[in-house]
Amino acid sequence: MTVEQLKDNFAAKGFDTEELVILSGAHSIGAGHCSSFKGRLTEPPQQITPAYRDLLNYKCSQGANPDVVNNVRDEDYATVAGIMPGFTSRVRKISNFLDNTYYHNNLAKIVTFHSDWQLLTDKEALGHVHEYADNATLWDLDFADSMLKLSKLSMPAGSKGEIRKKCSVINHYLY
C-alpha cells in the first residue's frame, strides 16, 4: 500500500496518521514470511539499505517462504556480522522486546515491510517517526492508548474472534 492507502485504511477504522505511525511500531517484534515482503528484495537503496536487503535475500533463500524476524535487533549475531557488520551493535540478546527501535530502524531504512518505509514518504508521518525515535517513553504511552482504542473496534459480523498465539494460524482448542 502507499502511505495514502494506509492512511485511508486506518481512517476507515477511526485512526489518524499519528495512530498509524504509533501502531506500526509494533513491527519492532514478530516475524513475517518472505512472501509478505518479497517486493522489498528489489527496492532501490533510497528505500532500503542495501546491506539489509542482502540480509533479507539471504534469509529468504533458506527455505520455502521462511519466517524472518521484523527487527534486525532480533537476528542471529553471526548472520548479521557476516552480511551487515556495521549493524552488529543493533543485535540484542533479548529478542521480541517491544520498544521504539522500529523508528530508528525505519529512519535507517532497515525495515522489512514496504508499508513501514512508506511512512517516510509523508511529511506528517515522518514527523511522528522522528518524534517516537527520539522519545521512547512517549511512544510507550501513546502505544498503550492506541492499543486500547484498537481493542474497542467491533468484531466482523458473525465472528467470535480470538487472540492468536501466532498471527498466521488459527488457535486450535481441544474441547
Side-chain angles (χ1 to χ4, degrees):
M1 291 185 169
T2 67
V3 72
E4 288 305 319
Q5 291 169 322
L6 290 166
K7 289 166 64 172
D8 290 346
N9 187 293
F10 272 68
K13 301 285 186 191
F15 293 92
D16 61 20
T17 301
E18 182 176 16
E19 291 164 320
L20 162 64
V21 174
I22 292 166
L23 291 170
S24 294
H27 285 168
S28 76
I29 61 171
H33 291 282
C34 290
S35 62
S36 65
F37 59 83
K38 65 181 176 184
R40 292 286 284 160
L41 303 179
T42 58
E43 287 183 331
Q46 306 90 290
Q47 296 179 20
I48 185 170
T49 298
Y52 186 60
R53 185 179 52 231
D54 292 346
L55 176 71
L56 293 178
N57 274 306
Y58 169 76
K59 299 293 280 192
C60 290
S61 72
Q62 300 304 300
N65 200 25
D67 285 346
V68 177
V69 296
N70 290 345
N71 197 326
V72 70
R73 164 206 70 197
D74 298 334
E75 284 289 353
D76 172 68
Y77 184 89
T79 302
V80 173
I83 297 173
M84 45 189 305
F87 291 89
T88 53
S89 64
R90 294 178 186 259
V91 177
R92 295 192 186 161
K93 291 180 180 169
I94 300 172
S95 63
N96 286 324
F97 184 80
L98 189 61
D99 62 12
N100 74 330
T101 56
Y102 165 83
Y103 301 102
H104 296 278
N105 290 347
N106 204 344
L107 293 169
K109 297 182 181 92
I110 54 173
V111 286
T112 307
F113 301 105
H114 183 76
S115 61
D116 296 328
W117 174 78
Q118 280 289 309
L119 298 179
L120 303 182
T121 68
D122 178 83
K123 184 178 179 179
E124 180 184 0
L126 176 60
H128 292 301
V129 170
H130 280 285
E131 176 183 32
Y132 293 119
D134 294 341
N135 192 334
T137 302
L138 177 63
W139 179 74
D140 287 343
L141 296 170
D142 289 351
F143 184 75
D145 290 342
S146 294
M147 284 298 293
L148 181 61
K149 182 176 175 179
L150 182 64
S151 75
K152 293 179 180 180
L153 289 178
S154 59
M155 295 295 300
S159 174
K160 290 190 283 182
E162 70 179 2
I163 298 172
R164 294 183 179 183
K165 294 177 183 173
K166 186 173 180 183
C167 293
S168 62
V169 178
I170 295 172
N171 296 333
H172 295 282
Y173 298 100
L174 299 173
Y175 292 77

